[in-house]
Structure formats: C-alpha cells, structure tokens
Amino acid sequence: MSSLDLLRARLAAALGERYTLERELTGGGMARVFVAHEAALNRRVVIKTLAPELAASLSAERFDREIQLVAALQQANIVPVHASGSADGLPWFSMPYVEGDSLRARLAKGPLAEAEAVPILRDVARALAYAHDRGVVHRDIKPDNILLSGDAAVVTDFGIAKAVTVARTMGDSAATRSGPITSAGISLGTPAYMAPEQAAADATADRRVDLYALGCVAYELVAGHPPFAGASAAELLRAHLLTPPPPLPAAAGASRGYAALVARCLAKDPAQRPASAREVLRALEQL
C-alpha cells in the first residue's frame, strides 16, 4: 500500500462512521482533498486534511483556534467551514461540496472576455470585503480557490494558509498563548500570486496582499496567463519583488478602466494599491 493510500486509510479510520470518504479531488501542496458523505445530515461534503509532513510541525490547538475564526465567516461568496478536528494526529476540516468547476478549469479552455471576467471578480471582491471587515485575510487568492457555481463565483480556503502559518511559527510562551494569534508573519501562499511583501515574509503584510493577488487573477483572466513567469518559485518571487508589472497585452481586449484597475492592484508598494476590497468592488461595478 502506498503512502497516499495509507493516509486515506488512516483518515477514514479516524473519522469512523461520521463521514464516508468517496473519492479524492486534486488538492494543493498543503492538503489532501476528499469528497465524503456526512451521515448525520445525509449530504456530500469536502474534507481536507493537511499533508502529514506539514501536520507534524503544527500545533493542533493553534490550528483549530484559527479555523474557528474562519468558520465564523458566513457570506454568499465564501465557502464556509462546517467542522474541524484532528483525526489520528491529522488536522482536518470539512466544507460544503460545491457543484461546478474551478476558475482554473475554466481558464484551461482559454482566456475570458472582460464582460465575463468582471462579474467573477466582483463576487471575489465581495467575499474579500466581507472577510477583511472581520479581520480575516485569505492570503492565497488564485484561480484554484475560486469556484464557479451557477451564476456565482465563490471563494474557498479562506484563512487556511494563515492558520497553517500561525500553527507552525508561533512560540509556546505564556504571552503567546494568552495573546492574539492572528499577528504572525506570512510564509505560505502560491508564488504566481504572492504580493511582494508576502514574498518577503513581511510580518506587517495585511489585507492588501489579497488585492495584489486579485490583480494577478484579473490579469490572467483576460490575458490567459499570470502577469509574472518564472522557471522556479524563487524566480517568480524575485519578479514580484523587483520586476515592474507588465501592461495587459493588446490581444486581451481589456478596456482602459479594467487595465488601470489591474495596474493599481499590482503596485509593488501596498500604499499605491486600492485601499480596500470595497474600493476594488466599486471600480468593478463602474465597468
């Protein structure tokens, strides 16, 4: 039995009769993702469990405390967290199963017209505005974490990267245990969409990292590729830090207003970006 099969068997045994794992979905680098049947409510859910090598370095208590903050988010464009726990030492959490494709799958068919891209970006901006107002930053906005369901776009994995970072990096002092747990620096994300301050692991980075990532997504939607490219993660991070953002190619057919908003979101200096997701949403509504 492979190590992947062993992990699935370990998770299934720990969850017992509460959930029945049905199949595995494509996951990210941090987690294994399963579609499961929840017996108590007779519904399909998604269960995500952290990779064992990552879970081994976490404080399960701190991870669970951060997940509780995420679970409080209840907004139409945010995929909520239903439950969380630890299964045989593996932190896990469950979310609704969303019918539809990811934005990544849609992009595999080719770039979008601006008229198709703008409603998607509006929905993501609404989700960010709601979360930011409640002190939750996503930190990993990318097409893979945006799901298209019916006529709406919904954002998944809110705060998960932050929860992992906090559980990995915060010390065990009494001051840490009693103090706020949402002030740790950023160390996780996806290189193609990481703001310069996030790439530099700046502990003062704030919600504007999400606006930068949204600018990267907005660029990719109409151009068909992210604004920066690199053969390695290090090259990508260097580009975010040092390379001026390229203008949208003429072939993307973007309006001047759309291109200007993308350029503002991709500003290296966070102070030069829009002040909030609500400001981005207003700009998108004017398009």
Side-chain angles (χ1 to χ4, degrees):
M1 184 179 290
S2 69
S3 60
L4 298 181
D5 291 333
L6 284 171
L7 184 145
R8 175 171 178 162
R10 178 180 166 191
L11 177 63
L15 293 173
E17 297 181 355
R18 184 178 177 185
Y19 298 100
T20 301
L21 302 183
E22 295 180 352
R23 71 179 193 275
E24 185 169 5
L25 299 175
T26 302
M30 290 192 299
R32 296 280 300 279
V33 186
F34 299 92
V35 177
H37 178 262
E38 185 179 12
L41 296 176
N42 190 28
R43 63 181 177 182
R44 299 175 82 191
V45 297
V46 167
I47 291 183
K48 299 191 177 187
T49 183
L50 299 181
E53 60 273 17
L54 182 58
S57 65
L58 298 183
S59 162
E61 178 185 357
R62 286 195 291 267
F63 182 81
D64 191 57
R65 289 173 65 190
E66 284 289 326
I67 290 295
Q68 289 178 30
L69 298 179
V70 177
L73 300 178
Q74 299 291 325
Q75 193 269 350
N77 300 109
I78 294 175
V79 181
V81 171
H82 279 161
S84 66
S86 179
D88 190 23
L90 296 174
W92 64 270
F93 51 96
S94 68
M95 313 177 89
Y97 176 77
V98 178
E99 296 281 356
D101 286 333
S102 69
L103 186 54
R104 173 68 65 208
R106 169 59 187 86
L107 279 168
K109 302 173 184 177
L112 285 65
E114 181 179 321
E116 187 180 1
V118 167
I120 294 172
L121 295 169
R122 286 177 186 158
D123 283 350
V124 178
R126 289 188 186 98
L128 291 176
Y130 176 90
H132 291 173
D133 285 349
R134 286 151 183 82
V136 178
V137 181
H138 192 289
R139 304 178 192 270
D140 198 18
I141 290 292
K142 57 184 177 181
D144 314 70
N145 285 335
I146 300 169
L147 309 178
L148 306 179
S149 180
D151 295 327
V154 294
V155 183
T156 188
D157 283 5
F158 251 98
I160 303 306
K162 176 64 178 298
V164 170
T165 301
V166 168
R168 291 179 71 189
T169 62
M170 294 190 68
D172 291 320
S173 67
T176 294
R177 289 196 298 272
S178 61
I181 60 173
T182 55
S183 59
I186 302 166
S187 64
L188 294 177
T190 302
Y193 307 92
M194 288 178 73
E197 65 272 26
Q198 189 176 7
D202 184 347
T204 66
D206 58 22
R207 63 189 183 181
R208 289 171 293 186
V209 302
D210 285 347
L211 305 187
Y212 184 93
L214 186 61
C216 291
V217 172
Y219 186 106
E220 184 174 2
L221 288 185
V222 297
H225 55 82
F228 298 104
S232 66
E235 289 183 10
L236 273 172
L237 298 182
R238 192 177 304 114
H240 286 299
L241 284 164
L242 302 175
T243 305
L248 278 165
S255 65
R256 279 199 284 181
Y258 187 98
L261 179 59
V262 170
R264 288 184 63 204
C265 288
L266 292 180
K268 302 294 185 191
D269 181 356
Q272 300 303 314
R273 296 174 206 152
S276 68
R278 295 198 182 280
E279 183 177 336
V280 174
L281 178 57
R282 287 193 295 270
L284 288 167
E285 288 173 341
Q286 292 174 4
L287 293 176

